[in-house]
Amino acid sequence: MSPGTVFALSLSLLAAILFEWLALALFGYLALPLLAAITVAIPALMLAAAWTLGRIKPDFFSSLRKDEAQKTGANSPSTGIFPEGAFHDLRAPVRGIDGFATALEEDYGNNLDDTGRDYLRRIRSECGHLRGIIDGLQQLDSSMRRPLALTETDLSAIAEEIIQALREAEPGNQVETRVEMGLSARTDPALIRILLVHLIGNAWKFTRDRPNARIEIKTGMRNGKDVFMVNDSGAGFDMAYAAKLFEPFQRLHDPSLFPGNGLGLYTARKILERLGGEIWAAGEENRGAVFSFFIPQDKAKR
Amino acid sequence: MTLNDSHAPLEILLVEDNENDVILARRAFRAAGLECNISVARDGVEAMEFLRKEGRYSSAPTPDIILLDLHLPRKNGREVMEEIKKDSVLKCIPVILLTSSTEEADISEAYGSLASPPKDKQDWVEKFTKVLSKILKR
């Protein structure tokens, strides 16, 4: 209940009580049935009047409107999650903390002992962590904000490019990869790229340093729907926690072993929600994971 | 001055409203051993007054390079950029946007547009790249 509603109700109850005193004084106890009716009627009338004047809006109406907005937002340009300029203002203090910690380290590091220098190193490391979270939030925000541009999209080519970039960044990592040829869908290529960066990036991260590591991108069936799948032979996860995977900042693994900003799979889910699709995860601890996603072609054509 | 005149310090106009970023930029130039005079404009309006030598900037130097932040009070970086590009004199000054873009192509393009490159260009480019890597907005 909004503060406005509470205020209007209190005001109308006060009016009702005053009216009752007047009636009691004039008519005595004969007036009781009349008073009961007034007690109910006056607040109700005042609320109705206030509602008509648009001064208060019951919460359930605004929540209905919100649902409606979310529905229509599924396939149209959205407003994003954060106000314009939020990221600029979030980044500025991090840049300052990191910058001055670096300056301290470089210019005055000799005046500190090892513990002091270790503290500075930790400040800088936390800045990097915070910057990663801000990057993730900004990517999520722009994924929700940018207008959709639906076109025939070659998922195989995008997947190959992402794998190529991962191999270049980490040439020592031995992973066998297989991408099925001709994976395509009518959808938004920029969003699909972000989605695949997260899914393939995760597969890469969780197969790192494992013997006979393998990543496979292919088509399949899930719940009677044609889906795209990203399979890996990595660390996997316990299915008991599967629901948590797609929530923000939920981790099923030690972040010091598998670092991340905690937003990758959440972003993947939000992108598929925006495209009207779905994503599922299946896995087994130390046996690997499968992420399947569905992109509706009928909805995407709108 | 020209950049061929290797003993004269480089004139730089830094258009930046954040005091911390100004301190860190000055330090980055000092740390890289690049001798330069850094003038600071706190917003886009001040930047244009400086460049056009208006009012209190009547004796302002013409910068060799402009380092331009995008988020500025009053007149933002893109508006400043547009005005500079429309001005027949100012459009010759290389402008480096302090965005998160660290594309090397952008940086060498900025060097390429310097009217007269410094004598020991390679050394200078290395130092300047080092400075930029520290002051570009991340």
Side-chain angles (χ1 to χ4, degrees):
Chain A
M1 195 180 274
S2 73
T5 319
V6 174
F7 180 66
L9 264 179
S10 327
L11 205 72
S12 51
L13 274 172
L14 196 69
I17 289 164
L18 284 173
F19 204 85
E20 280 163 19
W21 280 353
L22 194 70
L24 270 175
L26 289 175
F27 303 111
Y29 290 103
L30 285 175
L32 271 180
L34 177 72
L35 296 181
I38 288 169
T39 313
V40 176
I42 289 190
L45 278 173
M46 287 195 67
L47 266 177
W51 167 249
T52 318
L53 290 169
R55 288 172 63 182
I56 55 162
K57 297 179 178 82
D59 291 345
F60 65 91
F61 274 106
S62 55
S63 70
L64 274 183
R65 266 194 299 274
K66 230 180 273 166
D67 285 348
E68 219 168 53
Q70 269 162 8
K71 262 179 218 154
T72 53
N75 272 306
S76 54
S78 180
T79 48
I81 300 161
F82 293 91
E84 201 79 31
F87 294 105
H88 171 263
D89 279 26
L90 277 171
R91 284 179 196 285
V94 185
R95 198 168 55 242
I97 296 166
D98 195 24
F100 286 109
T102 308
L104 261 181
E105 197 175 26
E106 289 176 4
D107 300 352
Y108 301 94
N110 291 337
N111 300 344
L112 292 170
D113 61 8
D114 286 348
T115 311
R117 281 190 292 271
D118 180 55
Y119 290 168
L120 280 179
R121 193 185 54 75
R122 284 172 193 277
I123 291 173
R124 296 202 56 205
S125 157
E126 290 300 275
C127 286
H129 183 204
L130 186 49
R131 200 176 278 135
I133 294 173
I134 296 171
D135 288 344
L137 289 173
Q138 188 162 21
Q139 185 187 59
L140 179 64
D141 183 70
S142 81
S143 299
M144 297 301 104
R145 194 188 286 273
R146 58 182 303 148
L148 291 184
L150 302 179
T151 176
E152 201 57 37
T153 303
D154 185 347
L155 278 77
S156 303
I158 295 175
E160 291 285 12
E161 282 170 30
I162 293 166
I163 291 169
Q164 182 64 27
L166 287 166
R167 286 198 189 285
E168 277 167 22
E170 224 178 313
N173 198 23
Q174 299 290 320
V175 193
E176 184 198 330
T177 55
R178 204 160 68 204
V179 180
E180 191 179 307
M181 294 284 288
L183 303 180
S184 76
R186 190 177 159 73
T187 185
D188 184 292
L191 288 186
I192 289 300
R193 181 177 293 274
I194 296 171
L195 170 75
L196 286 176
V197 162
H198 287 302
L199 295 182
I200 299 173
N202 270 357
W204 187 269
K205 178 164 72 178
F206 288 103
T207 52
R208 185 176 287 140
D209 300 330
R210 294 175 78 88
N212 306 317
R214 189 180 40 77
I215 298 171
E216 213 177 341
I217 293 112
K218 56 183 185 181
T219 48
M221 289 290 282
R222 167 99 197 201
N223 296 359
K225 288 168 177 163
D226 289 317
V227 293
F228 300 101
M229 304 166 97
V230 179
N231 290 12
D232 72 67
S233 64
F237 61 90
D238 182 347
M239 280 298 278
Y241 304 108
K244 283 190 166 187
L245 273 178
F246 296 104
E247 294 302 320
F249 307 119
Q250 293 287 336
R251 286 180 184 84
L252 303 187
H253 298 91
D254 182 349
S256 67
L257 296 176
F258 301 102
N261 62 17
L263 288 161
L265 287 177
Y266 180 64
T267 302
R269 188 189 99 197
K270 297 304 279 185
I271 285 174
L272 282 161
E273 276 175 14
R274 190 152 181 232
L275 295 170
E278 260 179 282
I279 185 165
W280 302 269
E284 200 180 324
E285 270 183 300
N286 288 315
R287 297 290 299 274
V290 183
F291 288 87
S292 324
F293 61 93
F294 160 70
I295 306 169
Q297 293 302 289
D298 51 330
K299 274 188 192 168
K301 274 179 191 138
R302 265 197 262 143
Chain B
M1 63 150 269
T2 72
L3 291 166
N4 279 325
D5 188 357
S6 61
H7 291 294
L10 207 61
E11 285 296 339
I12 289 177
L13 173 62
L14 173 62
V15 191
E16 173 63 77
D17 63 318
N18 185 320
E19 172 75 21
N20 288 333
D21 286 328
V22 171
I23 295 173
L24 290 170
R26 285 189 191 281
R27 178 186 171 273
F29 277 102
R30 213 166 45 234
L34 270 186
E35 206 188 331
C36 55
N37 286 329
I38 302 174
S39 310
V40 177
R42 294 288 179 177
D43 61 44
V45 174
E46 257 187 51
M48 289 318 297
E49 285 171 359
F50 184 98
L51 290 168
R52 293 187 170 134
K53 304 181 199 293
E54 290 166 357
R56 63 190 166 117
Y57 296 113
S58 58
S59 57
T62 302
D64 299 303
I65 295 176
I66 300 168
L67 300 177
L68 182 60
D69 186 22
L70 285 180
H71 292 261
L72 295 166
R74 299 201 280 175
K75 194 176 279 177
N76 70 36
R78 293 203 187 282
E79 291 166 315
V80 170
M81 187 79 176
E82 271 172 37
E83 284 191 38
I84 290 173
K85 293 301 159 203
K86 273 187 213 151
D87 187 303
S88 58
V89 179
L90 298 179
K91 73 178 177 191
C92 302
I93 305 172
V95 179
I96 294 177
L97 294 177
L98 300 176
T99 63
S100 56
S101 165
T102 50
E103 293 292 311
E104 288 195 21
D106 294 358
I107 295 171
S108 43
E109 205 174 299
Y111 297 150
S113 59
L114 277 175
S116 42
K119 262 184 184 164
D120 186 358
K121 194 183 178 195
Q122 200 44 50
D123 178 52
W124 187 87
V125 165
E126 262 168 41
K127 285 178 177 172
F128 199 69
T129 305
K130 216 166 149 188
V131 172
L132 283 185
S133 72
K134 286 192 173 173
I135 64 174
L136 289 177
K137 301 297 171 75
R138 283 186 297 162

